[in-house]
Amino acid sequence: MLEVNHASKIFAKGTPNQKIALRNLNLSLKEGEFVTVLGSNGAGKSTLFNAICGSFILDEGSIRLDGRDITFLSEHKRARQIGRLFQDPMKGTAPNLTIEENLALSYSRNSKGLFSKAVGKKERELFREKLRTFDMGLEDRMKTKIGLLSGGQRQVVTLLMSTIVTPKLLLLDEHTAALDPATSEKVMEITNRIVKENNINTLMITHNMASALVTGNRTIMLDDGEIIFDMTEEKRKGMTVSDLMVMYSEKKQQNFDNDRILLSN
């Protein structure tokens, strides 16, 4: 479904600020997989998402989605197939437009390839029915401007915008990190339901290790631009955060020892 092959990216190459963001990274998702993504700041998590979305072109490597090579496809064309949510609830919506109009823009973009905030009776009923399933009363606030909603409400609307026409891939970039615990739990409950009901291939960045080990059906960890762990649902079963930290520490020590050997030759 998604294939990232030998992806490499260096920013500010040849300057004192050079940063190797992705190092020959390989990642493959099968149909219906929900993968949680761990890693410290600067590990390459958001860079990987940006590469998949087309925010920049890779220096080396390729990206295929649903069998199609999208390596050089423009960002806006990829957006028709890829849904993305950010940590900031203010991103991904037009705050001065209503819930209804935001949903219409997303719906028309995905279904017709045109941007339109015009809403017909059929679309309005569809939006209302989808919102009603979230049990947040948003179906009665469709004329409310997005900018007046709470962070959690806004993230739920953005989630619906990203999935109202089922995408080939959904990218969740710490989409609950800015929410309070209760709201975060509610948004994750809705996220899991939407992903499962629509069998959407999903990558979710999170800093919550405990959540990463029980969400979805696979967990990967990035460090210094490469994947250092790739754990299936079976492999991570029963694993604790402490177990994960031990594995990470051992891997970092191994890399340090290997680098020291290279430098001593």
Side-chain angles (χ1 to χ4, degrees):
M1 185 63 187
L2 172 69
E3 296 179 15
V4 181
N5 298 308
H6 305 292
S8 296
K9 183 64 182 180
I10 301 176
F11 293 110
K13 190 173 183 178
T15 74
N17 296 320
Q18 177 173 302
K19 168 65 177 177
I20 301 177
L22 296 175
R23 298 174 183 267
N24 196 36
L25 186 147
N26 292 287
L27 175 64
S28 178
L29 266 67
K30 299 175 183 177
E31 186 176 354
E33 278 197 300
F34 186 164
V35 182
T36 53
V37 184
L38 290 168
S40 59
N41 291 334
K45 306 183 298 299
S46 290
T47 303
L48 173 61
F49 276 24
N50 288 336
I52 293 171
C53 287
S55 300
F56 56 78
I57 299 298
L58 293 171
D59 294 335
E60 295 180 14
S62 64
I63 301 173
R64 299 184 69 86
L65 184 61
D66 199 23
R68 180 187 181 190
D69 190 336
I70 63 169
T71 308
F72 300 104
L73 196 67
S74 65
E75 186 172 11
H76 78 273
K77 288 184 178 179
R78 296 191 205 191
R80 296 176 185 172
Q81 307 173 63
I82 301 173
R84 185 174 184 179
L85 271 72
F86 297 87
Q87 177 178 340
D88 184 357
M90 300 297 286
K91 287 188 175 181
T93 57
N96 291 321
L97 297 183
T98 66
I99 293 176
E100 185 179 272
E101 290 169 336
N102 271 273
L103 289 171
L105 281 171
S106 183
Y107 189 64
S108 66
R109 178 192 64 194
N110 284 283
S111 61
K112 306 169 189 174
L114 300 170
F115 288 93
S116 172
K117 64 177 182 178
V119 184
K121 182 178 179 180
K122 184 178 179 181
E123 287 82 6
R124 187 173 289 110
E125 286 305 311
L126 171 65
F127 301 159
R128 190 180 300 279
E129 184 57 34
K130 294 284 187 180
L131 290 168
R132 186 178 291 114
T133 65
F134 301 151
D135 194 27
M136 296 177 74
L138 291 170
E139 69 276 11
D140 298 321
R141 301 186 62 188
M142 287 179 39
K143 298 295 185 181
T144 300
K145 290 185 177 181
I146 286 278
L148 299 178
L149 300 180
S150 68
Q153 291 170 331
R154 190 162 182 153
Q155 284 295 58
V156 167
V157 173
T158 308
L159 180 61
L160 180 55
M161 289 172 63
S162 299
T163 59
I164 195 161
V165 174
T166 306
K168 296 184 183 300
L169 179 68
L170 180 62
L171 303 178
L172 306 172
D173 196 343
E174 295 190 85
H175 71 304
T176 65
L179 308 176
D180 64 79
T183 305
S184 174
E185 185 177 346
K186 177 69 173 178
V187 172
M188 270 310 308
E189 175 192 325
I190 293 171
T191 300
N192 284 320
R193 188 167 78 234
I194 288 177
V195 169
K196 185 175 181 179
E197 287 176 354
N198 296 282
N199 197 38
I200 304 173
N201 281 74
T202 304
L203 284 167
M204 184 183 83
I205 294 174
T206 179
H207 276 106
N208 188 325
M209 292 188 178
S211 175
L213 291 173
V214 297
T215 302
N217 49 31
R218 182 177 163 197
T219 298
I220 64 174
M221 178 179 280
L222 271 67
D223 184 64
D224 201 22
E226 56 187 348
I227 296 173
I228 59 172
F229 296 127
D230 190 339
M231 295 170 284
T232 63
E233 189 169 24
E234 185 64 30
K235 185 176 180 180
R236 70 181 192 177
K237 189 177 295 183
M239 182 177 287
T240 66
V241 172
S242 295
D243 295 333
L244 193 58
M245 291 303 297
V246 169
M247 290 173 60
Y248 176 71
S249 297
E250 290 176 347
K251 182 67 175 179
K252 291 293 286 185
Q253 183 61 45
Q254 177 186 339
N255 289 343
F256 175 77
D257 291 342
N258 289 342
D259 289 344
R260 185 167 55 183
I261 290 171
L262 287 172
L263 290 171
S264 63
N265 288 340

PDB file of all heavy atoms in Angstrom, residues 8-40:
ATOM      1  N   SER A   8      16.371   9.247   1.471  1.00  0.00           N
ATOM      2  CA  SER A   8      17.431  10.040   2.082  1.00  0.00           C
ATOM      3  C   SER A   8      17.168  11.517   1.837  1.00  0.00           C
ATOM      4  O   SER A   8      16.719  11.912   0.753  1.00  0.00           O
ATOM      5  CB  SER A   8      18.797   9.666   1.500  1.00  0.00           C
ATOM      6  OG  SER A   8      19.126   8.320   1.803  1.00  0.00           O
ATOM      7  N   LYS A   9      17.439  12.324   2.860  1.00  0.00           N
ATOM      8  CA  LYS A   9      17.271  13.766   2.734  1.00  0.00           C
ATOM      9  C   LYS A   9      18.257  14.481   3.638  1.00  0.00           C
ATOM     10  O   LYS A   9      18.362  14.183   4.824  1.00  0.00           O
ATOM     11  CB  LYS A   9      15.847  14.189   3.117  1.00  0.00           C
ATOM     12  CG  LYS A   9      15.573  15.679   2.932  1.00  0.00           C
ATOM     13  CD  LYS A   9      15.668  16.101   1.479  1.00  0.00           C
ATOM     14  CE  LYS A   9      15.436  17.584   1.279  1.00  0.00           C
ATOM     15  NZ  LYS A   9      15.524  17.969  -0.147  1.00  0.00           N
ATOM     16  N   ILE A  10      18.993  15.427   3.043  1.00  0.00           N
ATOM     17  CA  ILE A  10      19.932  16.263   3.798  1.00  0.00           C
ATOM     18  C   ILE A  10      19.515  17.717   3.621  1.00  0.00           C
ATOM     19  O   ILE A  10      19.367  18.195   2.493  1.00  0.00           O
ATOM     20  CB  ILE A  10      21.382  16.073   3.306  1.00  0.00           C
ATOM     21  CG1 ILE A  10      21.813  14.610   3.446  1.00  0.00           C
ATOM     22  CG2 ILE A  10      22.331  16.979   4.092  1.00  0.00           C
ATOM     23  CD1 ILE A  10      23.196  14.316   2.891  1.00  0.00           C
ATOM     24  N   PHE A  11      19.333  18.421   4.716  1.00  0.00           N
ATOM     25  CA  PHE A  11      19.011  19.845   4.676  1.00  0.00           C
ATOM     26  C   PHE A  11      20.282  20.666   4.877  1.00  0.00           C
ATOM     27  O   PHE A  11      21.178  20.271   5.616  1.00  0.00           O
ATOM     28  CB  PHE A  11      17.983  20.205   5.747  1.00  0.00           C
ATOM     29  CG  PHE A  11      16.628  19.601   5.512  1.00  0.00           C
ATOM     30  CD1 PHE A  11      16.144  18.582   6.327  1.00  0.00           C
ATOM     31  CD2 PHE A  11      15.828  20.043   4.466  1.00  0.00           C
ATOM     32  CE1 PHE A  11      14.892  18.028   6.107  1.00  0.00           C
ATOM     33  CE2 PHE A  11      14.578  19.488   4.239  1.00  0.00           C
ATOM     34  CZ  PHE A  11      14.113  18.477   5.058  1.00  0.00           C
ATOM     35  N   ALA A  12      20.344  21.817   4.200  1.00  0.00           N
ATOM     36  CA  ALA A  12      21.501  22.727   4.284  1.00  0.00           C
ATOM     37  C   ALA A  12      22.805  21.995   3.986  1.00  0.00           C
ATOM     38  O   ALA A  12      23.817  22.171   4.668  1.00  0.00           O
ATOM     39  CB  ALA A  12      21.562  23.385   5.663  1.00  0.00           C
ATOM     40  N   LYS A  13      22.764  21.171   2.952  1.00  0.00           N
ATOM     41  CA  LYS A  13      23.921  20.346   2.597  1.00  0.00           C
ATOM     42  C   LYS A  13      25.145  21.195   2.288  1.00  0.00           C
ATOM     43  O   LYS A  13      25.074  22.188   1.583  1.00  0.00           O
ATOM     44  CB  LYS A  13      23.569  19.486   1.384  1.00  0.00           C
ATOM     45  CG  LYS A  13      24.597  18.405   1.056  1.00  0.00           C
ATOM     46  CD  LYS A  13      24.085  17.491  -0.049  1.00  0.00           C
ATOM     47  CE  LYS A  13      25.059  16.362  -0.326  1.00  0.00           C
ATOM     48  NZ  LYS A  13      24.542  15.439  -1.375  1.00  0.00           N
ATOM     49  N   GLY A  14      26.261  20.781   2.843  1.00  0.00           N
ATOM     50  CA  GLY A  14      27.521  21.462   2.591  1.00  0.00           C
ATOM     51  C   GLY A  14      27.745  22.709   3.411  1.00  0.00           C
ATOM     52  O   GLY A  14      28.716  23.435   3.189  1.00  0.00           O
ATOM     53  N   THR A  15      26.858  22.991   4.352  1.00  0.00           N
ATOM     54  CA  THR A  15      26.990  24.162   5.217  1.00  0.00           C
ATOM     55  C   THR A  15      27.228  23.701   6.656  1.00  0.00           C
ATOM     56  O   THR A  15      27.041  22.525   6.991  1.00  0.00           O
ATOM     57  CB  THR A  15      25.716  25.031   5.191  1.00  0.00           C
ATOM     58  OG1 THR A  15      24.674  24.372   5.945  1.00  0.00           O
ATOM     59  CG2 THR A  15      25.241  25.247   3.749  1.00  0.00           C
ATOM     60  N   PRO A  16      27.638  24.627   7.538  1.00  0.00           N
ATOM     61  CA  PRO A  16      27.826  24.250   8.953  1.00  0.00           C
ATOM     62  C   PRO A  16      26.532  23.767   9.612  1.00  0.00           C
ATOM     63  O   PRO A  16      26.575  23.100  10.647  1.00  0.00           O
ATOM     64  CB  PRO A  16      28.302  25.562   9.600  1.00  0.00           C
ATOM     65  CG  PRO A  16      28.934  26.326   8.473  1.00  0.00           C
ATOM     66  CD  PRO A  16      28.106  26.002   7.266  1.00  0.00           C
ATOM     67  N   ASN A  17      25.378  24.098   9.007  1.00  0.00           N
ATOM     68  CA  ASN A  17      24.083  23.695   9.561  1.00  0.00           C
ATOM     69  C   ASN A  17      23.536  22.419   8.920  1.00  0.00           C
ATOM     70  O   ASN A  17      22.353  22.106   9.075  1.00  0.00           O
ATOM     71  CB  ASN A  17      23.070  24.821   9.390  1.00  0.00           C
ATOM     72  CG  ASN A  17      23.444  26.071  10.165  1.00  0.00           C
ATOM     73  OD1 ASN A  17      23.928  25.974  11.300  1.00  0.00           O
ATOM     74  ND2 ASN A  17      23.245  27.234   9.562  1.00  0.00           N
ATOM     75  N   GLN A  18      24.381  21.700   8.212  1.00  0.00           N
ATOM     76  CA  GLN A  18      23.932  20.483   7.533  1.00  0.00           C
ATOM     77  C   GLN A  18      23.263  19.520   8.512  1.00  0.00           C
ATOM     78  O   GLN A  18      23.757  19.275   9.608  1.00  0.00           O
ATOM     79  CB  GLN A  18      25.108  19.784   6.865  1.00  0.00           C
ATOM     80  CG  GLN A  18      24.737  18.460   6.193  1.00  0.00           C
ATOM     81  CD  GLN A  18      25.871  17.867   5.389  1.00  0.00           C
ATOM     82  OE1 GLN A  18      26.386  18.509   4.473  1.00  0.00           O
ATOM     83  NE2 GLN A  18      26.282  16.652   5.728  1.00  0.00           N
ATOM     84  N   LYS A  19      22.118  18.989   8.088  1.00  0.00           N
ATOM     85  CA  LYS A  19      21.365  18.046   8.918  1.00  0.00           C
ATOM     86  C   LYS A  19      20.901  16.877   8.062  1.00  0.00           C
ATOM     87  O   LYS A  19      20.162  17.058   7.090  1.00  0.00           O
ATOM     88  CB  LYS A  19      20.153  18.754   9.543  1.00  0.00           C
ATOM     89  CG  LYS A  19      19.136  17.832  10.190  1.00  0.00           C
ATOM     90  CD  LYS A  19      19.679  17.092  11.394  1.00  0.00           C
ATOM     91  CE  LYS A  19      18.585  16.248  12.048  1.00  0.00           C
ATOM     92  NZ  LYS A  19      19.112  15.458  13.195  1.00  0.00           N
ATOM     93  N   ILE A  20      21.369  15.685   8.415  1.00  0.00           N
ATOM     94  CA  ILE A  20      20.901  14.480   7.737  1.00  0.00           C
ATOM     95  C   ILE A  20      19.574  14.088   8.389  1.00  0.00           C
ATOM     96  O   ILE A  20      19.544  13.620   9.525  1.00  0.00           O
ATOM     97  CB  ILE A  20      21.919  13.333   7.849  1.00  0.00           C
ATOM     98  CG1 ILE A  20      23.254  13.759   7.231  1.00  0.00           C
ATOM     99  CG2 ILE A  20      21.376  12.086   7.143  1.00  0.00           C
ATOM    100  CD1 ILE A  20      24.359  12.717   7.349  1.00  0.00           C
ATOM    101  N   ALA A  21      18.484  14.313   7.677  1.00  0.00           N
ATOM    102  CA  ALA A  21      17.150  14.115   8.250  1.00  0.00           C
ATOM    103  C   ALA A  21      16.623  12.704   8.041  1.00  0.00           C
ATOM    104  O   ALA A  21      15.931  12.161   8.902  1.00  0.00           O
ATOM    105  CB  ALA A  21      16.179  15.130   7.650  1.00  0.00           C
ATOM    106  N   LEU A  22      16.934  12.109   6.891  1.00  0.00           N
ATOM    107  CA  LEU A  22      16.541  10.728   6.602  1.00  0.00           C
ATOM    108  C   LEU A  22      17.750   9.989   6.051  1.00  0.00           C
ATOM    109  O   LEU A  22      18.438  10.495   5.159  1.00  0.00           O
ATOM    110  CB  LEU A  22      15.395  10.676   5.588  1.00  0.00           C
ATOM    111  CG  LEU A  22      14.057  11.298   6.002  1.00  0.00           C
ATOM    112  CD1 LEU A  22      13.078  11.274   4.837  1.00  0.00           C
ATOM    113  CD2 LEU A  22      13.462  10.590   7.216  1.00  0.00           C
ATOM    114  N   ARG A  23      17.986   8.792   6.571  1.00  0.00           N
ATOM    115  CA  ARG A  23      19.162   8.000   6.173  1.00  0.00           C
ATOM    116  C   ARG A  23      18.727   6.668   5.552  1.00  0.00           C
ATOM    117  O   ARG A  23      18.419   5.720   6.267  1.00  0.00           O
ATOM    118  CB  ARG A  23      20.047   7.697   7.391  1.00  0.00           C
ATOM    119  CG  ARG A  23      20.637   8.898   8.088  1.00  0.00           C
ATOM    120  CD  ARG A  23      21.364   8.465   9.353  1.00  0.00           C
ATOM    121  NE  ARG A  23      21.885   9.579  10.103  1.00  0.00           N
ATOM    122  CZ  ARG A  23      23.125  10.061   9.982  1.00  0.00           C
ATOM    123  NH1 ARG A  23      23.964   9.492   9.136  1.00  0.00           N
ATOM    124  NH2 ARG A  23      23.519  11.083  10.708  1.00  0.00           N
ATOM    125  N   ASN A  24      18.632   6.619   4.255  1.00  0.00           N
ATOM    126  CA  ASN A  24      18.355   5.366   3.552  1.00  0.00           C
ATOM    127  C   ASN A  24      17.194   4.605   4.213  1.00  0.00           C
ATOM    128  O   ASN A  24      17.273   3.404   4.452  1.00  0.00           O
ATOM    129  CB  ASN A  24      19.615   4.500   3.530  1.00  0.00           C
ATOM    130  CG  ASN A  24      19.536   3.373   2.511  1.00  0.00           C
ATOM    131  OD1 ASN A  24      18.967   3.537   1.432  1.00  0.00           O
ATOM    132  ND2 ASN A  24      20.089   2.231   2.859  1.00  0.00           N
ATOM    133  N   LEU A  25      16.129   5.331   4.486  1.00  0.00           N
ATOM    134  CA  LEU A  25      15.010   4.769   5.252  1.00  0.00           C
ATOM    135  C   LEU A  25      14.090   3.938   4.371  1.00  0.00           C
ATOM    136  O   LEU A  25      13.717   4.350   3.277  1.00  0.00           O
ATOM    137  CB  LEU A  25      14.223   5.905   5.915  1.00  0.00           C
ATOM    138  CG  LEU A  25      13.096   5.522   6.873  1.00  0.00           C
ATOM    139  CD1 LEU A  25      12.981   6.558   7.989  1.00  0.00           C
ATOM    140  CD2 LEU A  25      11.755   5.409   6.146  1.00  0.00           C
ATOM    141  N   ASN A  26      13.723   2.770   4.886  1.00  0.00           N
ATOM    142  CA  ASN A  26      12.793   1.879   4.192  1.00  0.00           C
ATOM    143  C   ASN A  26      11.590   1.598   5.091  1.00  0.00           C
ATOM    144  O   ASN A  26      11.745   1.267   6.270  1.00  0.00           O
ATOM    145  CB  ASN A  26      13.469   0.557   3.842  1.00  0.00           C
ATOM    146  CG  ASN A  26      14.553   0.721   2.798  1.00  0.00           C
ATOM    147  OD1 ASN A  26      14.265   0.939   1.622  1.00  0.00           O
ATOM    148  ND2 ASN A  26      15.805   0.634   3.221  1.00  0.00           N
ATOM    149  N   LEU A  27      10.398   1.734   4.527  1.00  0.00           N
ATOM    150  CA  LEU A  27       9.178   1.476   5.275  1.00  0.00           C
ATOM    151  C   LEU A  27       8.102   0.983   4.316  1.00  0.00           C
ATOM    152  O   LEU A  27       7.880   1.568   3.257  1.00  0.00           O
ATOM    153  CB  LEU A  27       8.690   2.744   5.980  1.00  0.00           C
ATOM    154  CG  LEU A  27       7.346   2.652   6.713  1.00  0.00           C
ATOM    155  CD1 LEU A  27       7.425   1.663   7.868  1.00  0.00           C
ATOM    156  CD2 LEU A  27       6.910   4.039   7.207  1.00  0.00           C
ATOM    157  N   SER A  28       7.425  -0.083   4.706  1.00  0.00           N
ATOM    158  CA  SER A  28       6.356  -0.637   3.878  1.00  0.00           C
ATOM    159  C   SER A  28       5.139  -0.906   4.741  1.00  0.00           C
ATOM    160  O   SER A  28       5.254  -1.484   5.832  1.00  0.00           O
ATOM    161  CB  SER A  28       6.824  -1.931   3.206  1.00  0.00           C
ATOM    162  OG  SER A  28       5.790  -2.500   2.443  1.00  0.00           O
ATOM    163  N   LEU A  29       3.965  -0.464   4.289  1.00  0.00           N
ATOM    164  CA  LEU A  29       2.705  -0.708   4.990  1.00  0.00           C
ATOM    165  C   LEU A  29       1.819  -1.594   4.134  1.00  0.00           C
ATOM    166  O   LEU A  29       1.627  -1.333   2.943  1.00  0.00           O
ATOM    167  CB  LEU A  29       1.964   0.607   5.268  1.00  0.00           C
ATOM    168  CG  LEU A  29       2.181   1.277   6.629  1.00  0.00           C
ATOM    169  CD1 LEU A  29       3.621   1.771   6.737  1.00  0.00           C
ATOM    170  CD2 LEU A  29       1.208   2.419   6.811  1.00  0.00           C
ATOM    171  N   LYS A  30       1.279  -2.629   4.763  1.00  0.00           N
ATOM    172  CA  LYS A  30       0.308  -3.470   4.090  1.00  0.00           C
ATOM    173  C   LYS A  30      -1.077  -2.847   4.232  1.00  0.00           C
ATOM    174  O   LYS A  30      -1.285  -1.952   5.051  1.00  0.00           O
ATOM    175  CB  LYS A  30       0.318  -4.879   4.702  1.00  0.00           C
ATOM    176  CG  LYS A  30       1.647  -5.590   4.567  1.00  0.00           C
ATOM    177  CD  LYS A  30       1.609  -6.934   5.298  1.00  0.00           C
ATOM    178  CE  LYS A  30       2.959  -7.631   5.229  1.00  0.00           C
ATOM    179  NZ  LYS A  30       2.971  -8.905   5.991  1.00  0.00           N
ATOM    180  N   GLU A  31      -2.014  -3.329   3.455  1.00  0.00           N
ATOM    181  CA  GLU A  31      -3.368  -2.784   3.492  1.00  0.00           C
ATOM    182  C   GLU A  31      -3.968  -2.882   4.896  1.00  0.00           C
ATOM    183  O   GLU A  31      -3.937  -3.929   5.532  1.00  0.00           O
ATOM    184  CB  GLU A  31      -4.259  -3.513   2.495  1.00  0.00           C
ATOM    185  CG  GLU A  31      -5.652  -2.916   2.376  1.00  0.00           C
ATOM    186  CD  GLU A  31      -6.492  -3.592   1.317  1.00  0.00           C
ATOM    187  OE1 GLU A  31      -5.954  -4.445   0.596  1.00  0.00           O
ATOM    188  OE2 GLU A  31      -7.684  -3.262   1.218  1.00  0.00           O
ATOM    189  N   GLY A  32      -4.499  -1.773   5.379  1.00  0.00           N
ATOM    190  CA  GLY A  32      -5.178  -1.747   6.662  1.00  0.00           C
ATOM    191  C   GLY A  32      -4.291  -1.617   7.883  1.00  0.00           C
ATOM    192  O   GLY A  32      -4.795  -1.614   9.010  1.00  0.00           O
ATOM    193  N   GLU A  33      -2.983  -1.480   7.707  1.00  0.00           N
ATOM    194  CA  GLU A  33      -2.094  -1.363   8.867  1.00  0.00           C
ATOM    195  C   GLU A  33      -2.198   0.016   9.518  1.00  0.00           C
ATOM    196  O   GLU A  33      -2.295   1.032   8.838  1.00  0.00           O
ATOM    197  CB  GLU A  33      -0.644  -1.628   8.468  1.00  0.00           C
ATOM    198  CG  GLU A  33      -0.292  -3.093   8.381  1.00  0.00           C
ATOM    199  CD  GLU A  33       1.202  -3.337   8.391  1.00  0.00           C
ATOM    200  OE1 GLU A  33       1.896  -2.832   7.495  1.00  0.00           O
ATOM    201  OE2 GLU A  33       1.677  -4.057   9.290  1.00  0.00           O
ATOM    202  N   PHE A  34      -2.149   0.017  10.842  1.00  0.00           N
ATOM    203  CA  PHE A  34      -2.153   1.236  11.652  1.00  0.00           C
ATOM    204  C   PHE A  34      -0.854   1.206  12.450  1.00  0.00           C
ATOM    205  O   PHE A  34      -0.707   0.436  13.395  1.00  0.00           O
ATOM    206  CB  PHE A  34      -3.376   1.236  12.574  1.00  0.00           C
ATOM    207  CG  PHE A  34      -3.563   2.518  13.365  1.00  0.00           C
ATOM    208  CD1 PHE A  34      -4.783   2.780  13.978  1.00  0.00           C
ATOM    209  CD2 PHE A  34      -2.558   3.463  13.512  1.00  0.00           C
ATOM    210  CE1 PHE A  34      -4.996   3.940  14.719  1.00  0.00           C
ATOM    211  CE2 PHE A  34      -2.741   4.630  14.240  1.00  0.00           C
ATOM    212  CZ  PHE A  34      -3.962   4.870  14.842  1.00  0.00           C
ATOM    213  N   VAL A  35       0.092   2.057  12.058  1.00  0.00           N
ATOM    214  CA  VAL A  35       1.441   2.039  12.623  1.00  0.00           C
ATOM    215  C   VAL A  35       1.669   3.267  13.493  1.00  0.00           C
ATOM    216  O   VAL A  35       1.483   4.402  13.039  1.00  0.00           O
ATOM    217  CB  VAL A  35       2.507   1.994  11.507  1.00  0.00           C
ATOM    218  CG1 VAL A  35       3.918   1.925  12.106  1.00  0.00           C
ATOM    219  CG2 VAL A  35       2.264   0.814  10.575  1.00  0.00           C
ATOM    220  N   THR A  36       2.070   3.047  14.745  1.00  0.00           N
ATOM    221  CA  THR A  36       2.443   4.160  15.611  1.00  0.00           C
ATOM    222  C   THR A  36       3.935   4.412  15.456  1.00  0.00           C
ATOM    223  O   THR A  36       4.727   3.472  15.320  1.00  0.00           O
ATOM    224  CB  THR A  36       2.103   3.866  17.081  1.00  0.00           C
ATOM    225  OG1 THR A  36       2.680   2.616  17.479  1.00  0.00           O
ATOM    226  CG2 THR A  36       0.603   3.805  17.275  1.00  0.00           C
ATOM    227  N   VAL A  37       4.308   5.699  15.487  1.00  0.00           N
ATOM    228  CA  VAL A  37       5.687   6.114  15.212  1.00  0.00           C
ATOM    229  C   VAL A  37       6.254   6.835  16.424  1.00  0.00           C
ATOM    230  O   VAL A  37       5.739   7.872  16.845  1.00  0.00           O
ATOM    231  CB  VAL A  37       5.749   7.039  13.979  1.00  0.00           C
ATOM    232  CG1 VAL A  37       7.203   7.382  13.658  1.00  0.00           C
ATOM    233  CG2 VAL A  37       5.062   6.399  12.777  1.00  0.00           C
ATOM    234  N   LEU A  38       7.334   6.297  16.982  1.00  0.00           N
ATOM    235  CA  LEU A  38       8.010   6.882  18.124  1.00  0.00           C
ATOM    236  C   LEU A  38       9.358   7.448  17.723  1.00  0.00           C
ATOM    237  O   LEU A  38       9.912   7.091  16.687  1.00  0.00           O
ATOM    238  CB  LEU A  38       8.217   5.827  19.220  1.00  0.00           C
ATOM    239  CG  LEU A  38       6.990   5.325  19.970  1.00  0.00           C
ATOM    240  CD1 LEU A  38       7.356   4.094  20.801  1.00  0.00           C
ATOM    241  CD2 LEU A  38       6.416   6.423  20.865  1.00  0.00           C
ATOM    242  N   GLY A  39       9.896   8.308  18.582  1.00  0.00           N
ATOM    243  CA  GLY A  39      11.225   8.867  18.339  1.00  0.00           C
ATOM    244  C   GLY A  39      11.374  10.197  19.048  1.00  0.00           C
ATOM    245  O   GLY A  39      10.389  10.917  19.239  1.00  0.00           O
ATOM    246  N   SER A  40      12.584  10.517  19.444  1.00  0.00           N
ATOM    247  CA  SER A  40      12.841  11.777  20.132  1.00  0.00           C
ATOM    248  C   SER A  40      12.748  12.946  19.153  1.00  0.00           C
ATOM    249  O   SER A  40      12.638  12.740  17.934  1.00  0.00           O
ATOM    250  CB  SER A  40      14.227  11.749  20.782  1.00  0.00           C
ATOM    251  OG  SER A  40      15.226  11.533  19.796  1.00  0.00           O
TER     252      SER A  40
END
